Amino acid sequence: MEAINVQDVSVNDLPWKIQYTHERCTMCGSCVAACSFNAIEAAMERRSVTISTGHQPEPSQRHMAVPVIKQRAVVANACVGCGMCEKVCPNNAIKPVRNLDSRINYLNRSGGAPVKRGGRNNIFGSERTLDKIVVGRISQMTDPALDSERHTFDILAPFGRVLLPSELPFVSDGNELKLTEKTPPVNWIYPVIFSDMSIGALSTRAWEAVALATAYLNEKHNMPVRMCSGEGGMPIKLMQSEHLKYMILQIASGHFGWNRIIQAMPHMKVDPAGILIKIGQGAKPGDGGLLPAAKVSKPVQAIRGVPKADLLSPPNHQGLYSIEESVQKMFMSMNAAFKFRVPVAIKCAASATSVSVYNNLIRDPYKICGGFFIDGIQGGTGAANEVSLDHTGHPIVAKIRECYLAAVKQGRQGQIPLWAGGGVGLTGNAAADAFKLICLGANGVFLGKLLIQLCGCVGNEHGRCNACNTGNCPAGICTQNPRLVKRLDIDKAAQNIVEYMLALNSELKKMMAPVGNSSLPVGRSDALVTTDRAIADKLGIQYVC
């Protein structure tokens, strides 16, 4: 009997198997050309067929070599289930099928290195708190509901420090009130921010599509949506254009790209919408950013001022080891750089310490902090260690609620706007998620993964694709490979984002109108109910059955 090496990898060990119908295949090669992971290849198979052509049974064997499309049984080139082969096949001869018997979790670590991937958290994908909450208070006889189609709604959220009435530097001069000193800058913007995704993490085309959609929403539909640059800087032409006013510049622990931003400051025609200091993110809290060398193309090298290499950000801002230091150094310096005209906010990963951080920021005597962005465990990423992505972090809902209630106890709610992220729009309905988080205390939300899904991303929380870290994105979104980037249609991607946001705006009004609110119902938890007793007790909302 032939010896079998049980350690050899077979197709049945991989997470996806290629279902191939030879009779339909014309060997055009489209599927092989479309596969960016080299998971399939053209090969020859030896086949033996027993046939009989006479009137009486006269079996004979015929041997032939048949060209076929074959799946490679190699972990490094494992099929990710993106389905590009199925999309391009003119004869429906090939498609990926999920393999429930996969051993990939064991095989992935055979090289001795931790597993990396992109995408979002897989652990909490099917157990979302937001899906167990509904709007239960409908204004009918007690107070009138609004007409979502005809009523005028004020859907704006503050980005910047909001002072208490007693803190406003007003003096009365006869019949007029006059300011005796400057107040912190506040920009009133749409309560949905396009989250920080850098040029590098995204392809130049994908980033351009999001920027194009942002400008179009502002200039054609009067929706003051803002977009965050992400770590790594921005193109000089954009920083010197009028469109900079729609952009929030991010400075993260790696400080990538900030030399160019500082050099561009004297040439900026307008101020940016704000500055976001990223301390951490929900997808990999306590870990720095990672941009693999495969994504560090020449444009990215120029913008960031780096050679082609893996770009690792430290887990924290060097020299900032307390909240007080952050306020004194980062906030003061960034505000001074723009002469106190631009609000500066901070972004942290949701954690058990979020409320402590928020309380300290509220007590900031400089009144510098203009926003607290909290990113939950279901946030997306372009590259992270899988163990961090799945097993570190904190769900966003409870942290937003705790921070809001902590501010309420001090009578300081709304002073530092709360922005929630991490899985917002996970099911495709961002309007409902945003409304519920606003009712729990958030001033607004930020979206990331949803945007690239609108651009054509096929990754999901069930293990499909999520190969953002490889630089081989089959949709041309999370790659710098020129051949793959060309697959992305910038205009179509931007159009999808614009149309989604227009629908979201209408849906948000549909949620506000029955409650009777013409402005954002920040903290109106009385509008929400749940059938889950634990959620009701934790969030302080009504339990129903």
Side-chain angles (χ1 to χ4, degrees), residues 45-51 60-66:
E45 273 188 5
R46 180 180 182 274
R47 295 188 181 179
S48 297
V49 182
T50 302
I51 60 173
S60 63
Q61 268 197 327
R62 179 178 296 176
H63 304 284
M64 65 186 92
V66 179

Side-chain angles (χ1 to χ4, degrees), residues 142-373:
T142 52
D143 48 345
L146 304 176
D147 189 328
S148 65
E149 299 296 331
R150 296 176 179 85
H151 194 84
T152 300
F153 291 85
D154 179 20
I155 307 181
L156 292 175
F159 185 49
R161 183 66 178 251
V162 178
L163 297 180
L164 292 172
S166 60
E167 297 173 335
L168 290 170
F170 281 126
V171 294
S172 177
D173 182 15
N175 295 325
E176 293 184 0
L177 287 176
K178 291 187 177 180
L179 279 171
T180 57
E181 57 185 84
K182 288 185 176 181
T183 58
V186 179
N187 292 329
W188 288 87
I189 63 176
Y190 198 75
V192 175
I193 290 175
F194 293 164
S195 190
D196 36 319
M197 297 180 289
S198 69
I199 303 177
L202 300 186
S203 68
T204 51
R205 281 192 177 217
W207 202 91
E208 185 180 345
V210 180
L212 185 62
T214 303
Y216 193 89
L217 287 166
N218 278 273
E219 298 186 5
K220 297 298 183 180
H221 293 284
N222 296 317
M223 285 178 64
V225 176
R226 298 296 179 260
M227 170 185 172
C228 186
S229 68
E231 181 178 19
M234 288 169 52
I236 289 178
K237 290 291 185 183
L238 180 54
M239 289 190 285
Q240 295 178 354
S241 76
E242 297 285 343
H243 294 108
L244 181 63
K245 61 189 175 185
Y246 307 138
M247 302 291 167
I248 298 170
L249 301 180
Q250 184 182 91
I251 178 169
S253 59
H255 294 211
F256 291 115
W258 265 86
N259 283 342
R260 287 188 122 206
I261 292 175
I262 292 170
Q263 291 169 6
M265 282 182 184
H267 308 288
M268 291 179 180
K269 297 176 183 177
V270 295
D271 288 330
I275 305 295
L276 183 62
I277 301 170
K278 189 190 85 169
I279 304 297
Q281 66 184 89
K284 43 186 173 182
D287 203 356
L290 166 64
L291 187 66
K295 290 187 177 183
V296 185
S297 62
K298 288 187 178 180
V300 174
Q301 293 175 45
I303 291 174
R304 295 196 175 200
V306 294
K308 188 174 183 65
D310 287 343
L311 303 181
L312 304 174
S313 299
N316 51 33
H317 284 264
Q318 302 303 295
L320 302 180
Y321 297 105
S322 73
I323 300 166
E324 292 74 21
E325 284 181 341
S326 296
V327 169
Q328 291 173 5
K329 295 180 183 178
M330 296 296 293
F331 291 139
M332 289 296 287
S333 62
M334 291 315 305
N335 271 279
F338 289 96
K339 299 183 179 179
F340 296 87
R341 298 188 307 262
V342 176
V344 178
I346 188 170
K347 177 182 177 181
C348 292
S351 76
T353 61
S354 295
V355 177
S356 300
V357 174
Y358 189 55
N359 279 335
N360 276 277
L361 293 174
I362 287 177
R363 299 187 187 104
D364 162 32
Y366 301 104
K367 304 291 188 293
I368 293 294
C369 183
F372 189 46
F373 286 57

Side-chain angles (χ1 to χ4, degrees), residues 17 24 86 115 128 143 152 330 345 423 437 464 506 541:
K17 296 170 72 173
R24 289 185 175 182
E86 184 180 8
V115 180
R128 292 206 331 151
D143 48 345
T152 300
M330 296 296 293
L437 284 165
R464 185 184 183 193
S506 296
I541 61 178

Side-chain angles (χ1 to χ4, degrees), residues 128-131 133-135 191-192 374-376 378 395-402 404 418-426 429-447 508 511 520-525 528 539 541:
R128 292 206 331 151
T129 300
L130 289 174
D131 294 332
I133 300 173
V134 295
V135 179
V192 175
I374 314 178
D375 198 11
Q378 289 173 314
I396 185 61
V397 178
K399 282 299 118 184
I400 280 290
R401 187 65 177 155
E402 288 175 10
Y404 177 75
L418 283 167
W419 291 80
V424 177
L426 184 71
N429 197 335
D433 290 353
F435 183 84
K436 294 170 188 177
L437 284 165
I438 289 170
C439 285
L440 291 171
N443 292 91
V445 300
F446 48 98
L447 310 172
L508 203 51
M511 302 286 284
L520 293 178
V522 179
R524 278 207 61 184
S525 58
L528 306 177
L539 302 180
I541 61 178

